[in-house]
DNA sequence: TGAATAGTGTCTTTCAGACAATATGCC
DNA sequence: GGCATATTGTCTGAAAGACACTATTCA
């Protein structure tokens, strides 16, 4: 079979980016979903996503789409996986490159667009029915997040600049889904050398004040890469 | 800005799959490259790849393309990363989903197509000039392979059905780029429970014959997922 | 018996995990 | 003093890493 130099345009699939935006709120790992305003799957919840534009690369597209749909800026995004089953979208062939990110829950804003978009956090283990193959994508992302958490400072995105070690521990506990020993957790976190004490103390509450820490670097460091 | 329900077709990028096919030969980690017969980058070496067809999913496309270009079948493929810089191909917007695989070096065959395609193994640390952004893709894949090797039986694909432990060790040494202690290696590999002795012995050479082993399961198991 | 590779065990160090008492500040 | 949270160290078991000698076959 002869292959044409230029692929037939009509065969080109559309390419989207989907952003899995996680947060921790009320001791639960939650994910941001938006309600679809159009068919197919009108009124179903879905992962915020959008088409990749001509001049932008995939990460730029993810950043733009995230901002348009959720108002969120300045987050660390990591490419997750590319889903491309031929019939995952009933309208047309749409291949989606998924990204994930973690943000503090208060960072979410409703976008300023002309129409109000329904946007909401859902506990990652109590999802509503989702459009397309989005259930599978969310489950894949949750799995990856749990695996990555143990070897990274990925939770950086979830915390304010200065935080208590007990805040940090709580984030890990929620993501991993189980409790951690306080002494072992502190030992390990501090030995990684990613944190530094700010010298400031948290003076809230009728109890001993906690040292506030911050991450030395803004970049997320992965230890398995 | 109003978003159309259906993306403008002319904006759709082409989507390809590229397969990074590694082997170990002469104690070197090598990768399969094909010489381009057409512009752009005519006569440059490149990663075997091809366009995703309408009815197939990404992995099916990778399997097909791999077979068409290299004659290789029945390999374990793993999705690696999706590259989508807008100008990575001078002809048009082409987004590529990369996969990688490992095969015994003898499995490579020149394809039976109408024209002879130049296809060759290159040591992964001595690459010729590559077309497009393929250098970056290969380097990314080599890095991932090294990181994965320690936690998986991914080298399964590199060995014949029955093999000596010293063969297995050699594969790891070549991929990781450094030597391993024989006793510690055997201790760890056998304790993982993935291998079983076949009872057969390798009677080649003027020395004590080696026990031949095989993997219990055909599936590649990753310990970090 | 010499050459070549197969096969094996111990010690040490390191890391993860279990576990409980003291410290500090506010009321 | 009572309450609430912060902070700290030891022991144990498991796994990783350093390290050297014996076993088997063939020429």
């Amino acid at each position: 079979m002869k292959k044409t130099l230029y692929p037939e345009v009509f065969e080109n699939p559309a390419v989207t980016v989907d952003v899995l935006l996680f947060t921790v709120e009320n001791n639960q790992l939650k994910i941001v979903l938006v309600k679809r305003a159009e068919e197919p799957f009108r009124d179903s919840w879905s992962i915020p996503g959008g088409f990749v534009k001509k001049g932008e690369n995939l990460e730029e597209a993810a950043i733009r789409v995230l901002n348009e749909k959720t108002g969120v800026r300045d987050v660390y995004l990591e490419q997750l996986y590319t889903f491309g089953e031929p019939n995952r979208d009933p309208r047309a062939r749409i291949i989606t490159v998924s990204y994930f990110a973690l943000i503090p829950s208060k960072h979410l804003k409703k976008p300023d667009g002309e129409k109000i978009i329904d946007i909401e956090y859902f506990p990652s283990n109590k999802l509503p029915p989702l459009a397309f193959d989005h259930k599978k994508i969310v489950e894949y992302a949750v799995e990856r997040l749990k695996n990555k958490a143990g070897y990274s400072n990925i939770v950086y995105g979830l915390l304010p600049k200065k935080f208590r070690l007990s805040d940090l521990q709580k984030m890990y506990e929620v993501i991993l889904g189980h409790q951690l020993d306080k002494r072992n957790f502190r030992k390990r976190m501090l030995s990684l050398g990613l944190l530094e004490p700010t010298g400031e103390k948290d003076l809230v509450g009728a109890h001993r004040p906690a040292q506030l820490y911050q991450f030395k670097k803004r970049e997320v460091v992965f230890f398995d890469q």
Side-chain angles (χ1 to χ4, degrees), chain A residues 33-93:
Chain A
L33 298 174
V34 296
K35 189 177 266 190
R36 288 183 56 79
E38 298 158 343
E39 295 295 343
F41 295 101
R42 179 195 287 264
D43 295 330
S44 281
W45 293 95
S46 66
I47 302 164
F51 293 102
V52 176
K53 288 191 177 176
K54 260 186 162 171
E56 65 191 359
N57 68 27
L58 300 173
E59 185 167 329
E60 288 163 354
I63 289 169
R64 173 184 55 78
V65 164
L66 184 61
N67 185 248
E68 285 174 6
K69 301 254 174 169
T70 69
V72 170
R73 288 178 186 278
D74 293 327
V75 293
Y76 171 80
L77 284 172
E78 186 185 355
Q79 189 180 303
L80 186 64
Y81 196 78
T82 299
F83 296 86
E85 292 294 323
N87 299 313
R88 54 179 296 281
D89 190 305
R91 295 168 295 180
R93 179 81 189 260

Side-chain angles (χ1 to χ4, degrees), chain A residues 104-168:
Chain A
S105 61
K106 63 188 160 114
H107 280 207
L108 184 65
K109 292 177 279 194
K110 303 236 173 179
D112 299 331
E114 61 269 25
K115 53 182 167 181
I116 292 165
I117 296 177
D118 271 329
I119 177 168
E120 216 170 287
Y121 287 114
F122 289 88
S124 64
N125 56 2
K126 277 188 222 162
L127 297 172
L130 297 183
F132 308 109
D133 56 353
H134 287 189
K135 180 166 187 280
K136 185 174 127 192
I137 298 177
V138 172
E139 285 170 352
Y140 183 82
V142 170
E143 208 47 46
R144 270 278 285 270
L145 177 57
K146 284 186 185 181
N147 289 326
K148 283 242 151 171
Y151 306 107
S152 73
N153 59 354
I154 195 169
V155 296
Y156 162 76
L158 285 172
L159 291 163
K161 194 179 175 71
K162 298 172 185 178
F163 49 85
R164 301 172 299 171
L165 283 182
S166 56
D167 298 325
L168 186 63

Side-chain angles (χ1 to χ4, degrees), chain A residues 3 16-17 23 53 67 75 79 86-87 95 99 102-103 123 125 136 146 148 155 163 188 212 223-224:
Chain A
K3 198 184 75 199
T16 59
V17 287
T23 197
K53 288 191 177 176
N67 185 248
V75 293
Q79 189 180 303
N87 299 313
I95 291 170
Y99 282 80
L102 290 154
I103 56 163
N125 56 2
K136 185 174 127 192
K146 284 186 185 181
K148 283 242 151 171
V155 296
F163 49 85
R188 193 169 65 247
L212 291 176
F223 298 105
D224 57 347

